[in-house]
Amino acid sequence: MAKSKILLVDDTRLILELEKSFLKMSHVDVITAGNGAEALELVRKDPPDLIFMDLNMPVMDGISCCTLLKSDPFLSSIPVVMITTAGNDQDRVRAQQAGCDNFLTKPIDRRLFLDMARKYTDAVDRREARIPCQIPVLFLLQQSPVGAHALDIGDGGAFLASREEVVLNDELRIAFFLETGEVPLLEMKGRVAWVNQEGKRVHAGLPTGFGVEFVDAAQWQKDELKRYVEAQPLP
């Protein structure tokens, strides 16, 4: 069975690499283009199943490219998600007029990006592999240290059991106490990706707390954390 194909279009290489990293756990082929003209050529040769396209690009912008795609009867059914600037309603209106199917705003949120992709293809993994654990942690909340426990760990983040109130997208400094690990205290940066509130659970199988996505984590930090967790007995 052929893999689903997702086309990422942006003139900034860093953005393309970021979006590609979001899809690394998914069973999809990822192709990239640096502007609308290049994207149009790729689509006409081998149509993808989904397109994420930046609005502002040189040579041909996302609006022009989307307009041409949606006016082609052979290509118009391909979903196009336009990446726009947050708060710019004019861009959204122009993108809607061009026929785009949906929107995301910069800076691009990993969870929202994957949720959007799943609307159009079931080949995108619902979540990365998680390892259950029971690791004491401290995180800084308004400059005050707060104790919590990490209950599962993945390559990209962790779930922290805590009754403290946090806000989506808050950035936190987190210290994992690894006790018998080679690095007894592992400090990492994280961003609040979702919240399991009391009486309003996103994940019914987890207690009150929140999911964090690691920010600027070095590979050795992720490897050390994973190595420590895998060496522990299941909680």
Side-chain angles (χ1 to χ4, degrees), residues 94-131:
R94 292 170 60 217
Q96 280 181 321
Q97 291 171 343
C100 82
D101 297 87
N102 229 313
F103 305 91
L104 281 177
T105 57
K106 291 183 178 180
I108 303 169
D109 180 280
R110 175 180 177 274
R111 182 175 56 85
L112 295 179
F113 181 93
L114 291 175
D115 285 345
M116 185 68 73
R118 291 182 197 112
K119 288 184 179 182
Y120 302 105
T121 172
D122 58 7
V124 174
D125 283 352
R126 189 147 298 279
R127 60 177 300 185
E128 63 185 304
R130 292 278 179 164
I131 305 172

Side-chain angles (χ1 to χ4, degrees), residues 2-205:
K3 287 184 182 179
S4 293
K5 187 184 282 83
I6 297 179
L7 171 62
L8 309 175
V9 190
D10 201 293
D11 62 310
T12 303
R13 174 54 58 181
L14 187 63
I15 297 296
L16 290 177
E17 292 302 319
L18 179 67
E19 293 175 349
K20 282 169 66 176
S21 74
F22 294 161
L23 295 166
K24 68 180 180 181
M25 301 293 290
S26 299
H27 190 66
V28 296
D29 283 330
V30 178
I31 53 177
T32 62
N35 57 64
E38 187 180 335
L40 201 60
E41 184 178 350
L42 288 172
V43 173
R44 284 171 173 164
K45 286 181 179 177
D46 188 9
D49 300 282
L50 173 62
I51 302 171
F52 285 93
M53 180 148 47
D54 189 32
L55 188 144
N56 297 303
M57 295 179 291
V59 184
M60 180 186 289
D61 64 14
I63 296 294
S64 302
C65 182
C66 186
T67 300
L68 290 170
L69 288 171
K70 293 302 182 179
S71 64
D72 187 322
F74 296 102
L75 305 174
S76 60
S77 62
I78 301 171
V80 177
V81 178
M82 196 72 74
I83 311 295
T84 64
T85 304
N88 193 326
D89 293 334
Q90 268 191 329
D91 280 353
R92 285 207 164 204
V93 171
R94 292 170 60 217
Q96 280 181 321
Q97 291 171 343
C100 82
D101 297 87
N102 229 313
F103 305 91
L104 281 177
T105 57
K106 291 183 178 180
I108 303 169
D109 180 280
R110 175 180 177 274
R111 182 175 56 85
L112 295 179
F113 181 93
L114 291 175
D115 285 345
M116 185 68 73
R118 291 182 197 112
K119 288 184 179 182
Y120 302 105
T121 172
D122 58 7
V124 174
D125 283 352
R126 189 147 298 279
R127 60 177 300 185
E128 63 185 304
R130 292 278 179 164
I131 305 172
C133 60
Q134 183 73 255
I135 302 176
V137 303
L138 278 178
F139 64 91
L140 285 179
L141 185 65
Q142 298 176 347
Q143 304 305 311
S144 298
V146 179
H149 279 84
L151 299 188
D152 69 29
I153 297 285
D155 191 51
F159 175 79
L160 305 187
S162 170
R163 291 187 176 275
E164 294 293 331
E165 291 189 10
V166 295
V167 179
L168 283 177
N169 295 315
D170 269 357
E171 290 203 355
L172 307 172
R173 295 196 67 85
I174 308 165
F176 294 88
F177 293 90
L178 305 187
E179 300 175 356
T180 58
E182 293 182 17
V183 182
L185 184 66
L186 185 64
E187 294 188 29
M188 301 177 73
K189 289 193 294 184
R191 181 185 62 81
V192 178
W194 58 279
V195 180
N196 234 25
Q197 295 176 327
E198 189 67 45
K200 189 180 179 182
R201 302 286 177 86
V202 174
H203 192 307

